[in-house]
């Protein structure tokens, strides 16, 4: 008697498709993290305020209340999720070393998504969320 319902090949293909989609989503989250938070080498600007205004606009982050840019090499940022970080809880990892940062804070909202930012430079440890040993979310400065 033949089995009723979905054929084994259809189930296998569905499972493989689900795995591929999950991996694509994780890769997209990592790319989004890099786009939002990594700027290395640091983009040239006359001062931190001009830097923040330029980068927030060019990265499509206009009118976001606050954003932090990391100026260290990408391999150092990725290392937080493995040997360069310590698990805080769940998928959150604290960096073992300090990172060069620029913190951009919204100071005024203008028309047509023209917002002004105040930028400050810091050298601090950071906390990131990791998925499959890749940073996917900037949690906070420590």
């Amino acid at each position: 008697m033949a089995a009723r319902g979905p054929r084994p090949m259809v189930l296998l293909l569905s499972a493989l498709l689900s795995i591929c989609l999950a991996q694509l989503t994780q890769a997209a989250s990592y790319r989004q993290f890099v786009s939002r938070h990594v700027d290395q080498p640091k983009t040239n600007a006359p001062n931190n305020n001009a830097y923040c205004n330029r980068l927030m606009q060019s990265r499509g982050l206009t009118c976001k209340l606050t954003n932090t840019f990391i100026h260290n090499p990408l391999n150092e940022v990725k290392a937080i999720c493995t040997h360069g970080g310590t698990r805080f809880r769940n998928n959150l990892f604290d960096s073992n070393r300090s990172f060069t940062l620029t913190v951009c804070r919204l100071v005024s909202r203008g028309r047509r998504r023209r917002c002004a930012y105040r930028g400050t430079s810091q050298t601090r440890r950071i906390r990131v969320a990791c998925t499959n040993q890749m940073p996917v979310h900037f949690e906070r400065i420590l």
Side-chain angles (χ1 to χ4, degrees):
M1 183 174 190
R4 294 182 185 250
R7 301 192 194 280
M9 191 58 133
V10 172
L11 290 175
L12 178 62
L13 287 173
S14 294
L16 289 173
L17 181 60
S18 295
I19 291 168
C20 289
L21 287 174
Q23 288 177 340
L24 287 173
T25 300
Q26 290 166 1
S29 296
Y30 167 70
R31 285 192 305 273
Q32 188 175 51
F33 170 85
V34 171
S35 174
R36 287 182 179 173
H37 298 291
V38 179
D39 183 44
Q40 202 280 328
K42 183 178 179 179
T43 300
N44 219 4
N47 57 55
N48 282 331
N49 295 346
Y51 170 84
C52 285
N53 289 325
R54 179 180 298 164
L55 250 67
M56 295 298 282
Q57 182 75 32
S58 69
R59 301 278 179 105
L61 302 171
T62 52
C63 300
K64 185 177 177 189
L65 292 177
T66 186
N67 194 68
T68 303
F69 291 102
I70 305 165
H71 305 301
N72 295 64
L74 196 50
N75 64 326
E76 293 178 16
V77 179
K78 289 192 315 192
I80 298 169
C81 299
T82 56
H83 62 277
T86 304
R87 184 183 300 275
F88 172 67
R89 72 170 177 257
N90 300 326
N91 69 330
L92 298 175
F93 288 79
D94 294 344
S95 65
N96 293 338
R97 61 179 300 273
S98 294
F99 284 78
T100 305
L101 312 169
T102 300
V103 179
C104 302
R105 296 189 198 286
L106 181 68
V107 292
S108 68
R109 291 183 192 269
R111 292 184 182 178
R112 297 186 202 152
R113 310 228 3 117
R114 288 282 185 192
C115 294
Y117 289 88
R118 177 175 296 121
T120 56
S121 295
Q122 299 182 18
T123 302
R124 304 276 298 275
R125 292 174 51 235
I126 60 175
R127 178 174 294 152
V128 297
C130 301
T131 300
N132 290 335
Q133 300 182 339
M134 301 293 270
V136 294
H137 173 74
F138 185 91
E139 181 70 15
R140 63 178 291 213
I141 296 172
L142 301 175

